């Protein structure tokens, strides 16, 4: 089994979260535990959450050398408030969300995330949920497939791929990652730098795991948990998610809203975070050389204001 890879932006995450003894953090995407271990090493306490029971089990073994400082919970970070409060913490000093699939999930052909290996059309981060990639591919109407490929995959040829999928499944249902990858390859016009099925797999995975809705709920929930001065750090790997995070912080870090039709600016009811810079933190050359996955990582963060409701 492939091991977990190095966490991305490790130094930058620590600079933002400022862990130290006596501080408590929720890691909503425990994964291999790389970031959590760095927080634990700085003396902080961490509650680690993951939808994937296998990730929880593996990270729990790695974090066993921090007894009393680490606990794990299975669940979706969309419910982070309930998960953290259920563990007995009313507020936390910081929350980390490092979005997406782990390299361990991607590299395990039997999980069905990758077009490179032969596996079932599964793609569930949480195998206890009933709904798989095969359900999406074999039961969704053509227009729904097209919308998912376009909106979640930003796939230019969404219509063409959706049509081919529906044609193919009339002969027999698609069951494997290779079948899906081969079908996309067959109908994809011209050459592309990346494998033609890259965007299709991303889109279907995001649908199976309701990733964007989870992110939106997770950002709200994490904000509720932060003590005044506490920090929320979010790492994303592609533009759709980064846009959600960017807009989330933008909309909540303006104290006043002004509209041309108003006689005077009004207080922003969503104001929660102290104003911070708009630019995301990105990996330096050295990290990208050592860990190519870091190339597209963007870290955005906010500090809960003392007055935010
Ligand atoms: C990129 S990895 C995290 C890596 C981790 N930061 C580390 O240092 O090892 C993402 C992890 O988040 C989990 N995950 C993704 N979306 C989730 C969600 N909505 N709720 C809980 N866990 C989620 C995945 O199962 C995966 O294990």
């Amino acid at each position: 089994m492939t091991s977990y890879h190095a966490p991305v932006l490790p130094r930058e995450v620590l600079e933002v979260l400022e862990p130290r003894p006596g501080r408590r953090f929720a890691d909503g995407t425990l994964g291999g535990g790389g970031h959590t271990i760095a927080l634990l090493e700085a003396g902080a306490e961490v509650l680690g959450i993951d939808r994937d029971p296998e990730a929880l089990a593996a990270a729990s073994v790695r974090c066993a050398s921090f007894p009393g400082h680490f606990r794990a919970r299975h669940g979706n970070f969309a419910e982070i408030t309930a998960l953290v409060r259920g563990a007995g913490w009313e507020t936390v000093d910081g929350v980390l969300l490092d979005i997406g699939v782990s390299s361990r999930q991607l590299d395990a052909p039997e999980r069905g995330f990758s077009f490179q290996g032969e596996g079932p059309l599964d793609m569930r981060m949480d195998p206890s949920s009933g709904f798989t990639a095969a359900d999406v591919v074999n039961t969704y109407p053509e227009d729904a497939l097209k919308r998912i490929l376009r909106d979640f995959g930003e796939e230019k040829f969404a219509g063409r791929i959706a049509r081919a999928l529906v044609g193919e499944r009339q002969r027999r249902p698609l069951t494997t990652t290779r079948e899906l990858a081969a079908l996309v390859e067959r109908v994809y016009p011209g050459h592309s730098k990346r494998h033609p099925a890259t965007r299709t797999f991303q889109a279907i995975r995001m649908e199976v795991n309701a990733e964007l809705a989870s992110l939106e709920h997770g950002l709200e929930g994490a904000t509720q948990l932060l003590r005044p001065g506490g920090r929320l750090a979010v790492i994303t790997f592609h533009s759709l998610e980064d846009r959600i995070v960017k807009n989330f912080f933008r909309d909540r870090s303006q104290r006043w809203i002004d509209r041309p039709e108003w006689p005077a600016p009004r207080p922003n009811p969503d104001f929660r975070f102290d104003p911070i810079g708009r630019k995301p933190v990105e990996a330096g050359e050295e990290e990208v050389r050592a860990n190519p996955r870091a190339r597209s990582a963007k870290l955005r963060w906010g500090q809960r204001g003392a007055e935010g409701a």
Side-chain angles (χ1 to χ4, degrees):
M1 173 69 71
T2 321
S3 64
Y4 287 96
H5 294 193
V8 300
L9 298 166
R11 184 174 49 79
E12 294 81 353
V13 165
L14 293 182
E15 278 169 13
V16 167
L17 293 180
E18 298 183 334
R20 62 179 74 134
R23 290 204 165 163
R24 291 175 162 173
F25 295 90
D27 181 349
T29 50
L30 180 63
H35 289 114
T36 278
I37 286 174
L39 297 170
L40 290 166
E41 280 171 351
E45 288 176 57
V46 183
L47 182 76
I49 296 166
D50 205 293
R51 291 169 101 160
D52 184 345
E54 195 195 290
L56 276 186
S60 297
V61 171
R62 289 186 72 195
C63 297
S65 46
F66 299 92
H69 279 64
F70 173 74
R71 285 179 296 166
R73 288 285 182 280
H74 179 230
N76 187 332
F77 62 60
E79 281 140 33
I80 194 166
T81 318
L83 288 162
V84 171
R85 299 237 163 106
W89 288 354
E90 197 54 30
T91 61
V92 293
D93 298 285
V95 176
L96 173 66
L97 301 177
D98 173 17
I99 304 300
V101 279
S102 66
S103 27
R104 181 158 165 145
Q105 288 164 334
L106 264 181
D107 293 348
E110 71 279 8
R111 301 291 300 266
F113 286 106
S114 168
F115 46 80
Q116 265 146 6
E118 173 72 318
L121 273 178
D122 189 322
M123 304 196 198
R124 289 170 298 174
M125 289 187 200
D126 180 355
S128 67
S129 84
F131 182 67
T132 69
D135 295 320
V136 174
V137 165
N138 292 310
T139 68
Y140 274 30
E142 184 177 329
D143 58 346
L145 286 170
K146 178 177 169 187
R147 184 176 43 76
I148 289 164
L149 295 173
R150 190 193 55 211
D151 294 353
F152 295 167
E154 298 179 289
E155 172 55 72
K156 269 196 298 204
F157 303 108
R160 184 190 285 241
I161 296 169
R163 205 172 321 124
L165 277 172
V166 171
E168 181 75 14
R169 77 189 190 198
Q170 275 161 1
R171 280 188 282 281
R172 62 186 182 88
L174 285 101
T175 58
T176 72
T177 49
R178 282 263 166 82
E179 282 170 2
L180 176 59
L183 178 133
V184 178
E185 234 173 320
R186 222 165 39 241
V187 301
Y188 217 83
H191 289 286
S192 65
K193 260 198 282 170
R194 298 194 295 178
H195 190 289
T198 308
R199 289 172 181 277
T200 295
F201 271 65
Q202 172 188 306
I204 294 172
R205 190 201 86 208
M206 290 174 78
E207 173 67 11
V208 168
N209 297 289
E211 290 182 34
L212 298 187
S214 294
L215 176 58
E216 283 166 358
H217 288 118
L219 293 170
E220 290 289 353
T223 306
Q224 288 176 31
L225 285 171
L226 291 178
R227 65 156 169 86
R231 291 178 175 180
L232 168 59
V234 190
I235 301 171
T236 59
F237 291 87
H238 61 81
S239 57
L240 279 179
E241 290 165 341
D242 180 53
R243 203 175 311 144
I244 290 176
V245 178
K246 182 169 96 180
N247 293 342
F248 175 84
F249 282 126
R250 185 201 58 204
D251 295 346
R252 284 157 190 77
S253 57
Q254 289 163 345
R255 193 180 290 269
W256 300 93
I257 312 178
D258 199 3
R259 299 243 170 89
E261 65 272 26
W262 293 347
R266 298 179 184 173
N268 175 7
D270 292 329
F271 175 61
R272 298 285 183 282
F273 290 97
D274 289 335
I276 48 160
R278 289 278 167 82
K279 280 204 161 195
V281 180
E282 297 182 49
E285 269 173 45
E286 202 179 315
E287 181 177 356
V288 173
R289 247 197 320 275
N291 181 8
R293 192 177 123 75
R295 186 187 308 278
S296 47
K298 289 194 164 62
L299 166 66
R300 294 187 188 268
W301 62 279
Q303 173 165 298
R304 181 81 200 237
E307 305 165 44

